Amino acid sequence: MENGASTKWRFEGNKDYNYNSNTNTKTAATLTVRALLNTLLDNLNQNDTRPVIPLGHGDPSAFPCFRTTSVAVDAIVDAVRSAYYNSYSPTVGILPARRAIADYLNRHLPYKLSPDDVYLTLGCTQAIEVIVSVLARPGANILLPRPGFPYYEAHAKHSHLEVRHFDLLPEKGWEVDLDAVEALADENTLALVIINPGNPCGNVYSYQHLQKIAETARKLGIMVIADEVYAHVSFGNNPFVPMGVFGSIAPVFTLGSISKRWIVPGWRLGWIVTSDPNGIFQKLGIVDSIKDSLNISSDPATFIQGAVPQILENTKEDFFSKTLDILRETADICYDRIKEIPCITCPNKPDGSMFLMVKLKTSLLEDISDDMEFALKLSKEESVIVLPGIAVGMKNWLRVTFAIEPTALEDGLGRIKAFYNRHAKKQ
Amino acid sequence: MENIVKKWDSKVNSASDISVTARGTLSMLMQHLNEEDKRPVIKLSQGDPAAFPCFRTSHAAEEAVINALRSAKYNCYAPFVGIPPARRAVAEYLSRDLPYKLSPDDVYITSGGAQAMEIILSVLAGPGANILLPRPGFANYEARCAFSNLEVRHYDLLPEKGWEVDLDGVKALADENTIAIVIINPGNPCGNVFSYEHLKKIAKTAIELGLLVVADEVYGHLTFGCTPFVPMAVFGSSIPIITLGSISKRWSVTGWRLGWLVTCDPTGTLQKSRIVECINSSLKIISNPVTFIQGALPQILDLEKTNSDYFSISTSLLKEATEILCDKIKEIPSITCPTKPEGSVFAMVKLDFSQLEDIDDDMDFCVKLAKEESVIVLPGVIVGLKNWLRISFATDPKYLENGLERVKSFCKKHSKKHFY
């Protein structure tokens, strides 16, 4: 058979994969946190023998002090050994898992969710994909927080869903600028996304503020998408309150997973939950759209679904409190050390999640003009990775994670201080 | 909340309006079951050997997953292309059957074959482009193409020729906007296994038409007839091949969600066309497969570690099932099986309505069969062949036999009287 080397391939030529959809996907891909972190990792100095300090992403699973509970591991081993969960699961997830998640969430909700309100997804990541694709339609828009989690923007771009940004106010503990929300919304606005506990800001919203958000949503006739992937990862004064509490004021989609609270982001087990006692989502057919989307997408591993009841019911409180103690400690370390570094300021000590935002004062630095340059040089010179705020919508800020082992954190912040000293403008 | 209601007009991008998947139809059929019928439901519908203890996966695979989990090394996020040991393991596993070596960089680990399909279709989709799909085929392709706005054209598989591809039909269908052709081998839903010669002809046709070949080989090596499985990638030096595969079927672990998309392209054509770049971009914005299952992949794919009996036991069970299927179908006048399946887990059988009474079509047959006999099979219309049925034989042999016995009595009850 002749070699196809001389063939004119239909998939080559002027088409060149510059279709809008592929261009959108490519742009979308560059917007993700991981893509930017890869760029920073590529910039590391290979000759630096010191360990890399990863203050850029929220994945403490590699650190022994953050290792997940043996209850969760044993639950999975049991599920695998049972050989009961090797087959396909139903589109929405297996009933015992859905029931367990409903029960787990119901502990903090005034009215009870049913298992039918729960849809299992391949991590909270897929929950975001599904929700965005279900909402995407010509002319519609959704409201996203700034700073935020760029995966929303990436998927909205991929699905051709317009986004509008409202600010979180650093001077008000990163609360939502509700006046801006009202100004932004129009008759095509479908939803508003809040992330609580906050990524990237580390804030935990009060009951009152969440109620105001719900009332604003009701006034505007929009739904609330509550990204609660960091649910219960709160160690400050404000207790975590699920947005579903306000489901009778405005219908809520809650997105969550076991990834953060159990420190197992690689297990890919998340959910979309509808808190909608007035049945609005059902009436609109949104529930059917979610099922349709899930029907043609891949599911979480069935045996991990099978382990969910044991994981949610049997994990001991002291695993959670131990993890929160470490995070409280590292949040303190991070906040205190940052105070010693003049070119960065943290307006609000974090109360939850695994991140805080710091403002960069480039006027105090000799040869660094913005956050991207800061992050690139820091990676090369000190083998420390932080996320430039441009990635989350705030140029000249940085997102720093404190969810790493305490001595590594001290080391990393020490290196940032040394970096500052080296680049400080001479007085 | 009236505002939300006003805004929510017709669903623009819902896949359900446009095409129906097997899963959706099977759920619908389940709703027709008669609650009074105390007999257990017999499902000859989904290609899921993992649902039956006789197909339980190898002990080595289970232990591999447990070891990877317990190592605590794989609780983290994985790189979007997959972890290096997994990519390397798949490259080595597939290269065993190829005249050239795949590199780990050619391998992208996905959440099952389903996600591999999702990615390649979204990469190929573009305004005006079209793709050639087999009929009968796997309905998820049509659903995903609809979702990605990729136009579909169907070429026929010819029942009178062992379900071979109608290559003349392919040539007539393709135009300057046709980007690729999907072949499913071993075949879902027909259970056929393409010969080397036929695959060569497909490759030749694809070269003539300038098409990419997407080879869906999720049933790779699941063969038990005379025709051996030949991966399409053997022709990779002449034509770039995108191979989709997974551990789901061969290892009976459909619920583990571990698959791959592999660019089999020793001449580097795909790299030049930027398809590779687009695949990478797509992977960056989707959710990845479980990290510790990726971690277990090297052990799972290490065929020396898998008890060598495991594969021969499962293929002989499947072979036994096909014998039962063909024998039983021969006893039913209104159903014929033109080609005995040689691979995968499905067979297509044809309904003869001249011998049936008060049944309108294949969908009606399946609805009534569910209601009267508590047996679930998929109507052929869902896979593109109306008035055929798709039957799964990836079941316990006795289970299959019981199910077909009930199908036989159903057909007898509905037969036009003068035939019995």
Side-chain angles (χ1 to χ4, degrees), chain B residues 329-350:
Chain B
I329 295 285
K330 283 206 193 93
E331 299 170 18
I332 308 174
S334 42
I335 307 184
T336 46
C337 182
T339 313
K340 186 162 166 188
E342 288 202 301
S344 93
V345 300
F346 294 109
M348 289 298 282
V349 301
K350 190 171 176 160

Side-chain angles (χ1 to χ4, degrees), chain A residues 97-398:
Chain A
R98 289 158 49 221
R99 192 183 297 120
I101 292 167
D103 290 344
Y104 171 73
L105 297 175
N106 281 339
R107 295 182 206 168
H108 302 277
L109 292 174
Y111 64 86
K112 301 311 163 197
L113 296 169
S114 105
D116 292 333
D117 296 317
V118 179
Y119 304 89
L120 297 192
T121 58
L122 196 57
C124 197
T125 307
Q126 196 189 44
I128 297 174
E129 280 168 50
V130 169
I131 266 296
V132 169
S133 76
V134 159
L135 293 179
R137 62 209 42 249
N141 67 72
I142 58 168
L143 309 182
L144 298 180
R146 178 175 49 209
F149 181 52
Y151 208 74
Y152 285 95
E153 282 80 355
H155 262 279
K157 190 141 188 66
H158 179 69
S159 301
H160 307 284
L161 175 61
E162 181 198 333
V163 312
R164 298 176 180 190
H165 289 98
F166 58 88
D167 289 312
L168 302 182
L169 306 168
E171 66 276 13
K172 284 179 121 191
W174 299 109
E175 283 192 342
V176 173
D177 181 353
L178 288 167
D179 294 331
V181 166
E182 291 197 36
L184 278 174
D186 65 14
E187 67 280 3
N188 292 312
T189 305
L190 289 178
L192 127 85
V193 172
I194 62 155
I195 305 175
N196 182 51
N199 174 6
C201 305
N203 55 290
V204 177
Y205 290 140
S206 67
Y207 181 99
Q208 291 75 15
H209 188 59
L210 291 171
Q211 186 167 39
K212 286 212 191 96
I213 293 173
E215 285 163 0
T216 305
R218 183 188 187 81
K219 186 172 162 191
L220 298 170
I222 65 181
M223 65 188 83
V224 179
I225 296 170
D227 181 334
E228 296 181 352
V229 72
Y230 288 99
H232 302 287
V233 183
S234 68
F235 40 80
N237 294 325
N238 277 343
F240 166 68
V241 176
M243 193 68 194
V245 164
F246 308 100
S248 47
I249 299 179
V252 179
F253 275 116
T254 302
L255 313 183
S257 83
I258 57 173
S259 299
K260 308 294 178 177
R261 200 179 188 201
W262 275 265
I263 327 260
V264 289
W267 293 14
R268 321 307 306 124
L269 195 302
W271 51 79
I272 297 175
V273 171
T274 52
S275 291
D276 177 30
N278 299 322
I280 296 174
F281 289 149
Q282 197 82 42
K283 264 191 290 221
L284 294 178
I286 297 185
V287 161
D288 287 334
S289 293
I290 291 178
K291 286 188 193 151
D292 289 341
S293 182
L294 288 172
N295 218 7
I296 57 170
S297 320
S298 192
D299 310 318
T302 314
F303 64 75
I304 299 185
Q305 299 185 40
V308 162
Q310 250 179 283
I311 295 174
L312 297 184
E313 286 153 31
N314 298 349
T315 299
K316 300 213 177 35
E317 196 50 49
D318 55 69
F319 164 71
F320 295 137
S321 45
K322 193 183 83 131
T323 309
L324 290 180
D325 286 343
I326 303 177
L327 288 174
R328 193 180 294 113
E329 182 193 343
T330 53
D332 280 343
I333 293 173
C334 205
Y335 185 71
D336 291 342
R337 295 285 163 276
I338 283 170
K339 280 202 214 137
E340 301 167 15
I341 307 173
C343 67
I344 52 180
T345 45
C346 179
N348 296 294
K349 183 161 163 186
D351 279 337
S353 92
M354 297 177 179
F355 303 103
L356 52 78
M357 287 293 280
V358 301
K359 190 170 168 135
L360 182 62
K361 230 178 186 173
T362 50
S363 58
L364 296 181
L365 296 166
E366 190 65 57
D367 51 346
I368 289 174
S369 55
D370 65 20
D371 51 331
M372 190 70 208
E373 203 180 342
F374 185 99
L376 280 166
K377 285 190 167 142
L378 183 67
S379 134
K380 176 173 268 165
E381 297 174 28
E382 296 290 346
S383 297
V384 174
I385 309 288
V386 297
L387 189 73
I390 189 103
V392 297
M394 278 174 88
K395 194 172 152 72
N396 290 339
W397 287 69
L398 303 166

Side-chain angles (χ1 to χ4, degrees), chain A residues 1-2 4 7-11, chain B residues 132 155-156 164-175 178-183 196-213 232 235 238-241:
Chain A
M1 182 166 60
E2 89 275 15
T7 305
K8 171 120 179 64
W9 300 107
R10 299 270 164 81
F11 55 85
Chain B
L132 306 184
Y155 64 85
D156 290 309
E164 283 191 339
V165 172
D166 175 4
L167 289 166
D168 292 331
V170 166
K171 289 181 195 152
L173 275 175
D175 66 13
T178 309
I179 291 248
I181 177 169
V182 173
I183 64 159
Y196 177 88
E197 287 70 32
H198 188 60
L199 289 171
K200 191 168 172 180
K201 288 207 188 103
I202 294 172
K204 193 157 182 285
T205 306
I207 291 174
E208 276 167 35
L209 301 171
L211 304 181
L212 181 64
V213 176
M232 194 67 189
F235 304 105
S238 307
I239 170 172
I241 310 286

